[in-house]
């Protein structure tokens, strides 16, 4: 979730009006509830004026982009265990997960010709590209 | 959460982006081929 917030913050701060398509494999009803209860609490709605939210519980689009399931060893590798340990130490507890924790996510940028300009699928569940890298790829496509 | 093995391939830089058509949470149709570009598709993991 923080990744999505950081991306929108960077886009807004740099006045980049490029659209974002945010996918979840949660059912549409749960995704909508998450947007209004969780995401809206973390960032102003104006940051996401160009964002469309798409629920893909069948994983049809995830699979079209090569995003299958990760291995348990990668999902619960050292970085994730450290992340959870830090959360626990800060008193935040361990988040409960309703959806498949092994399903992979990823970040892409598609240029004006419909070609991939950035493709990042993390080696583990904590691996996301910096927001600045996505913004830079979007800006390069404008040149 | 299926155990079915699917052969998947991640599209790489400069390859054509896989097209799709879907309905967003507001009930509007989104088709990548018709959508303003450049665009950043972000595929979330589980919702925390």
């Amino acid at each position: 979730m923080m990744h999505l917030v950081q991306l929108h913050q960077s886009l807004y701060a740099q006045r980049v009006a490029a659209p974002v398509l945010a996918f979840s494999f949660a059912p549409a009803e749960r995704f909508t509830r998450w947007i209004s209860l969780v995401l809206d609490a973390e960032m102003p709605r104006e940051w996401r004026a160009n964002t469309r939210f798409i629920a893909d519980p069948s994983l049809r689009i995830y699979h079209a982009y090569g995003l299958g399931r990760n291995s348990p060893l990668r999902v619960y590798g050292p970085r994730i265990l450290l992340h959870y340990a830090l959360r626990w130490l800060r008193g935040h507890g361990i988040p409960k997960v309703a959806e498949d924790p092994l399903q992979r996510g990823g970040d892409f940028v598609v240029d004006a010709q419909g070609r991939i300009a950035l493709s990042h699928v993390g080696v583990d569940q904590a691996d996301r590209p910096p927001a600045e890298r996505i913004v830079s790829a979007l800006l390069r496509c404008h040149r | 959460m299926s155990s079915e093995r699917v052969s998947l391939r991640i599209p790489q830089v400069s390859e054509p982006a896989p097209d799709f058509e879907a309905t967003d949470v507001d009930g509007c149709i989104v088709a990548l081929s018709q959508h303003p570009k450049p665009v950043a598709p972000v595929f979330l993991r589980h919702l925390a």
Side-chain angles (χ1 to χ4, degrees):
Chain A
M1 186 261 294
M2 280 311 295
H3 173 64
L4 201 57
V5 173
Q6 287 164 357
L7 173 59
H8 283 85
Q9 187 175 26
S10 293
L11 289 169
Y12 188 76
Q14 297 185 47
R15 300 178 191 276
V16 179
V20 173
L21 297 173
F23 294 87
S24 169
F25 55 92
E29 191 178 292
R30 177 165 148 68
F31 193 25
T32 304
R33 200 166 56 244
W34 180 85
I35 293 163
S36 59
L37 291 180
V38 180
L39 200 59
D40 279 355
E42 296 291 331
M43 66 180 191
R45 285 191 174 206
E46 61 188 293
W47 287 8
R48 55 177 178 86
N50 297 312
T51 300
R52 308 286 286 274
F53 294 91
I54 299 166
D56 181 29
S58 71
L59 296 168
R60 175 176 59 92
I61 306 170
Y62 275 76
H63 286 175
Y65 279 76
L67 302 171
R69 300 181 83 212
N70 226 332
S71 74
L73 278 177
R74 281 193 166 172
V75 170
Y76 298 107
R79 284 202 295 186
I80 290 293
L81 293 178
L82 176 65
H83 171 73
Y84 283 157
L86 290 173
R87 276 187 64 99
W88 184 77
L89 286 171
R90 290 176 188 138
H92 295 314
I94 307 298
K96 291 180 180 169
V97 175
E99 294 88 28
D100 181 2
L102 301 185
Q103 174 61 45
R104 301 175 90 174
D107 294 83
F108 298 87
V109 169
V110 179
D111 69 15
Q113 287 72 45
R115 292 188 175 272
I116 299 286
L118 180 144
S119 171
H120 183 105
V121 178
V123 292
D124 66 26
Q125 304 297 78
D127 182 8
R128 285 283 191 183
E132 288 308 314
R133 198 173 147 217
I134 300 173
V135 175
S136 296
L138 288 164
L139 288 170
R140 274 198 308 276
C141 292
H142 275 300
R143 289 175 195 146
Chain B
M1 201 181 299
S2 164
S3 61
E4 182 186 348
R5 284 202 171 271
V6 188
S7 178
L8 302 174
R9 188 177 168 282
I10 297 163
Q12 300 300 309
V13 170
S14 82
E15 293 180 0
D19 196 13
F20 58 82
E21 186 175 297
T23 305
D24 73 6
V25 296
D26 297 318
C28 300
I29 300 290
V30 178
L32 181 66
S33 57
Q34 306 297 318
H35 204 69
K37 297 183 193 66
V39 60
V42 176
F43 293 85
L44 301 176
R45 300 186 183 103
H46 59 78
L47 302 179

